[in-house]
Amino acid sequence: MTQPTITVLLAEDEPSLPGLDSLSGQAEVREARTRSELEAALPVTDILVVTDFRTGMLADVWPNNCPVRWVHATSAGVDALMIDPIRHSDIVVTNARGIFDRGIAEYVLGALLMFTKDTLTNLALMKEHRWQHRETGLLRGSRVVVVGAGSIGREVATLLGALGVRVSGTARHAREDSAFEKVYAQQDLPTLLPDADAVIITAPLTPDTEGLFDADQFLRMKPGATLVNVGRGPIVQTEALLAALRSGRLGGAAMDVFEEEPLPADHPLWDQPNVMISAHMAGDFIGWRTALGQQFADNFQRWQKGEPLENPVSKEHGYVSNAGGPTPDA
């Protein structure tokens, strides 16, 4: 029986995905880091693993009658993969749902503690060698809205709930979920914002979420509230965010993702005193790449046996929507 060919699409400066050597004897594994390498590989590829989640190469080189039967993203977001030949086909798409949940939830908790305890001011005062006593808030009893009540949002809600935070969520459809006080329909978000002390974005990038946080949305938010974006950058309009921070409407923002990445070195957000910026790394715990390789290898064993794959993505909606429970990624 002919072994399937797995092509791993990596960024040019990215190391190999760990753990795929365990597939020796079961599949031929090749790597593509450049356009020419990908163009040569796709006509003989059965399974495509994409680690470069920002790639635009697929649309440029996807061949007619491509033999790819399964595309796996080593990320939660799959928007870059949803080119027409994949979206409108029988190709199965899976993602890395579950790998980053805890890491991102801990990032969110750290960000909220940072703002609640006014840590950024502490650090600024330290640089000036100033001893300035102040009172700070408590997370307990605060209200948080999680935009995107999928597996990541659910982990955020669970962690915050353990500290006495009152957490509501939004999803494509309203539902009951034990991790949240309530999950509302996404269309109800404007009515939730005025009472929220913090808004956490964990949603995928879809036509419904792109540009969702614009100037009008920031005006609906509670004065002094904080924003944490660990979802996708284009969900937040960067210039509207900057204006809301400068006006004092927003109390602060922790931003792990942006419309343009990397964020340009001369962008004024870098110099905002009430902002924390990280380099799209909220979920990247020590050992995350090994975990991603193992997740794919485990799923490959299911594929070999003809079993249903884990984390199948709805190509219509852009996220996992049938993961065995009442918590779709939206």
Side-chain angles (χ1 to χ4, degrees), residues 7-11 32-43 45 47-64 66-75 77-87 89 91-94 315:
T7 296
V8 184
L9 175 58
L10 303 136
R33 288 184 172 82
T34 65
R35 176 181 173 134
S36 61
E37 289 173 346
L38 181 63
E39 194 167 16
L42 283 176
T45 296
I47 302 168
L48 178 65
V49 179
V50 181
T51 70
D52 182 9
F53 64 89
R54 298 186 189 92
T55 185
M57 284 196 291
L58 287 177
D60 295 337
V61 304
W62 194 269
N64 294 326
C66 185
V68 170
R69 290 176 280 163
W70 169 23
V71 176
H72 176 73
T74 62
S75 58
V78 297
D79 44 281
L81 308 184
M82 288 304 158
I83 61 175
D84 284 346
I86 294 177
R87 184 189 295 273
S89 73
I91 297 171
V92 177
V93 177
T94 58
K315 289 189 281 187

Side-chain angles (χ1 to χ4, degrees), residues 211-221 227 233-250 252-253 255 258-259 267-269 272 275:
L212 178 63
F213 278 80
D214 56 11
D216 290 340
Q217 208 79 293
F218 286 122
L219 286 174
R220 295 185 181 103
M221 289 179 65
L227 178 76
I235 295 174
V236 176
Q237 295 183 13
T238 308
E239 296 311 307
L241 169 67
L242 180 62
L245 288 162
R246 283 176 164 172
S247 71
R249 183 72 187 187
L250 268 186
M255 302 294 293
F258 295 89
E259 287 181 292
H267 198 284
L269 268 178
Q272 289 299 302
V275 171

Side-chain angles (χ1 to χ4, degrees), residues 156-167 179:
V156 168
T158 299
L159 200 57
L160 296 181
L163 275 70
V165 179
R166 303 183 63 181
V167 188

Side-chain angles (χ1 to χ4, degrees), residues 34 49 54 78 109 127 130 178 186 188 194 222 243 275 317-318:
T34 65
V49 179
R54 298 186 189 92
V78 297
L109 173 60
K127 290 182 179 180
R130 288 176 56 194
S178 59
Q186 185 68 33
D188 294 328
K222 183 178 183 179
V275 171
H317 301 125

Side-chain angles (χ1 to χ4, degrees), residues 49-320:
V49 179
V50 181
T51 70
D52 182 9
F53 64 89
R54 298 186 189 92
T55 185
M57 284 196 291
L58 287 177
D60 295 337
V61 304
W62 194 269
N64 294 326
N65 302 314
C66 185
V68 170
R69 290 176 280 163
W70 169 23
V71 176
H72 176 73
T74 62
S75 58
V78 297
D79 44 281
L81 308 184
M82 288 304 158
I83 61 175
D84 284 346
I86 294 177
R87 184 189 295 273
H88 305 299
S89 73
D90 294 329
I91 297 171
V92 177
V93 177
T94 58
N95 73 356
R97 176 186 168 112
I99 296 294
F100 301 106
D101 296 7
R102 183 67 183 195
I104 290 177
E106 291 188 6
Y107 175 99
V108 170
L109 173 60
L112 292 188
L113 284 170
M114 177 188 68
F115 287 122
T116 302
K117 310 317 290 185
D118 200 20
T119 301
L120 290 177
T121 300
N122 286 341
L123 295 173
L125 292 171
M126 276 181 60
K127 290 182 179 180
E128 299 175 8
H129 296 196
R130 288 176 56 194
W131 181 279
Q132 182 177 315
H133 178 270
R134 303 176 328 283
E135 295 178 345
T136 61
L138 294 174
L139 270 184
R140 184 182 63 207
S142 61
R143 291 181 177 271
V144 168
V145 171
V146 175
V147 181
S151 65
I152 294 173
R154 201 168 192 277
E155 188 73 15
V156 168
T158 299
L159 200 57
L160 296 181
L163 275 70
V165 179
R166 303 183 63 181
V167 188
S168 299
T170 65
R172 207 158 53 90
H173 302 294
R175 64 172 187 270
E176 296 299 320
D177 189 314
S178 59
F180 299 87
E181 286 193 346
K182 185 174 180 180
V183 175
Y184 296 83
Q186 185 68 33
Q187 64 192 34
D188 294 328
L189 177 62
T191 66
L192 303 176
L193 293 178
D195 295 322
D197 298 296
V199 176
I200 316 298
I201 301 172
T202 61
L205 181 63
T206 69
D208 292 332
T209 62
E210 185 168 5
L212 178 63
F213 278 80
D214 56 11
D216 290 340
Q217 208 79 293
F218 286 122
L219 286 174
R220 295 185 181 103
M221 289 179 65
K222 183 178 183 179
T226 56
L227 178 76
V228 181
N229 188 7
V230 289
R232 294 305 304 271
I235 295 174
V236 176
Q237 295 183 13
T238 308
E239 296 311 307
L241 169 67
L242 180 62
L245 288 162
R246 283 176 164 172
S247 71
R249 183 72 187 187
L250 268 186
M255 302 294 293
D256 187 55
V257 290
F258 295 89
E259 287 181 292
E260 180 182 359
E261 295 183 3
L263 183 69
D266 60 352
H267 198 284
L269 268 178
W270 289 105
D271 298 315
Q272 289 299 302
N274 52 349
V275 171
M276 181 181 77
I277 291 172
S278 53
H280 205 140
M281 53 182 278
D284 294 353
F285 58 93
I286 295 170
W288 64 279
R289 300 189 79 255
T290 298
L292 288 173
Q294 187 62 55
Q295 183 187 50
F296 170 73
D298 290 345
N299 227 5
F300 177 78
Q301 299 306 326
R302 296 183 184 90
W303 190 80
Q304 285 283 71
K305 297 173 184 176
E307 297 175 355
L309 296 177
E310 293 215 333
N311 296 348
V313 171
S314 163
K315 289 189 281 187
E316 178 186 359
H317 301 125
Y319 49 81
V320 177

